[in-house]
Amino acid sequence: MPATVVEVELSGDEFALSHTLSSIEGIEFEIERVVAHEDDRVMPFVWVSGGDIDRDEFEAVLADDPSLDRLELLADVDDEWLYQMEWISEIETLVQILVTEEATILAATGNKNSWNLRTLFPDRDALSRTHDYCQEKGLTFEILNIYQLDEGRQGRFGITEDQQEALTRAYDAGYYSIPRKATAEEVADELGVSHQALSERLRRGHESQKCVDHRSWC
């Protein structure tokens, strides 16, 4: 069964960093990459932007966030900060996705109201189990868009055939596995394109909107 990509919305108050997001007006987070460290914690790379606050004040608020155990500043670029964090609470949905179902978070953004995740599941059964798990636990898991990698076609799902092929080859090669089983260079060589061309195809493929009735998956 082909891999399934789904865009979901989670409630901000049921997810990590809800204390920080509710304490600082206008602050936004974007996850660069997230990995499961153990069954009870995850370690995302998070870009921080927005909010009328300096970094010291921001980190003081983070220090009081119960979902956060550790953080390390990796970059400070044009009023945006990149941190590696360690989340230890309000991460049940992420643990289900990353550990139990061995899925991959392709992109994630969050504000005080909600988090939007684009997630690559091995198949629709894994998605169904995650949906059922969240329902049983009383967690928000609203499906916005959904598609399968082998269904992507220009005009129907918003991605080109080149982007579709890049996504499929990257997935099959283990590029999205944790730890990765293939590098971007290896996938690019397999496709016969440059590393830069592959990165652009993957990025545009991830960003494209997939307009599928969310009721059709279940």
Side-chain angles (χ1 to χ4, degrees), residues 24-218:
I24 305 174
E25 188 67 31
I27 203 78
E28 294 185 349
F29 294 115
E30 179 178 354
I31 294 180
E32 179 83 7
R33 181 166 169 77
V34 56
V35 298
H37 181 54
E38 296 175 3
D39 287 354
D40 60 351
R41 58 187 62 207
V42 297
M43 297 183 67
F45 294 80
V46 183
W47 282 102
V48 181
S49 61
D52 185 17
I53 189 171
D54 64 33
R55 203 181 77 214
D56 289 339
E57 293 175 303
F58 171 70
E59 291 182 357
V61 175
L62 275 179
D64 291 330
D65 196 310
S67 66
L68 182 67
D69 186 49
R70 185 178 65 85
L71 80 157
E72 177 184 357
L73 179 69
L74 302 179
D76 184 344
V77 182
D78 297 331
D79 297 324
E80 289 187 316
W81 312 314
L82 175 63
Y83 291 93
Q84 182 175 14
M85 300 181 179
E86 188 167 348
W87 295 348
I88 58 172
S89 67
E90 298 172 290
I91 56 171
E92 295 93 336
T93 305
L94 279 185
V95 170
Q96 172 71 20
I97 291 171
L98 295 170
V99 178
T100 306
E101 300 302 342
E102 298 182 343
T104 301
I105 305 297
L106 299 175
T109 57
N111 55 43
K112 68 177 182 179
N113 297 315
S114 63
W115 280 82
N116 288 77
L117 276 60
R118 180 174 290 121
T119 305
L120 179 68
F121 284 92
D123 51 48
R124 291 211 177 189
D125 288 342
L127 170 58
S128 180
R129 287 190 296 269
T130 300
H131 178 270
D132 291 345
Y133 171 89
C134 290
Q135 281 199 321
E136 292 170 2
K137 298 291 184 179
L139 300 171
T140 303
F141 191 81
E142 181 180 354
I143 296 175
L144 305 177
N145 291 311
I146 181 173
Y147 70 105
Q148 291 178 202
L149 283 182
D150 68 347
E151 291 178 342
R153 292 293 183 270
Q154 175 69 10
R156 182 181 179 191
F157 291 101
I159 62 176
T160 67
E161 291 187 5
D162 285 343
Q163 292 163 10
Q164 165 64 29
E165 184 181 17
L167 286 166
T168 302
R169 290 288 186 91
Y171 176 79
D172 290 343
Y175 176 73
Y176 294 115
S177 300
I178 300 174
R180 281 181 172 166
K181 298 177 181 178
T183 65
E185 289 81 3
E186 290 170 337
V187 177
D189 288 344
E190 185 178 346
L191 289 169
V193 300
S194 68
H195 175 273
Q196 182 178 0
L198 173 68
S199 297
E200 182 68 10
R201 290 179 188 181
L202 293 177
R203 183 182 67 82
R204 290 185 178 276
H206 295 162
E207 290 176 351
S208 296
Q209 294 298 314
K210 315 313 189 281
C211 299
V212 179
D213 186 346
H214 71 269
R215 293 169 295 182
S216 65
W217 73 272
C218 50

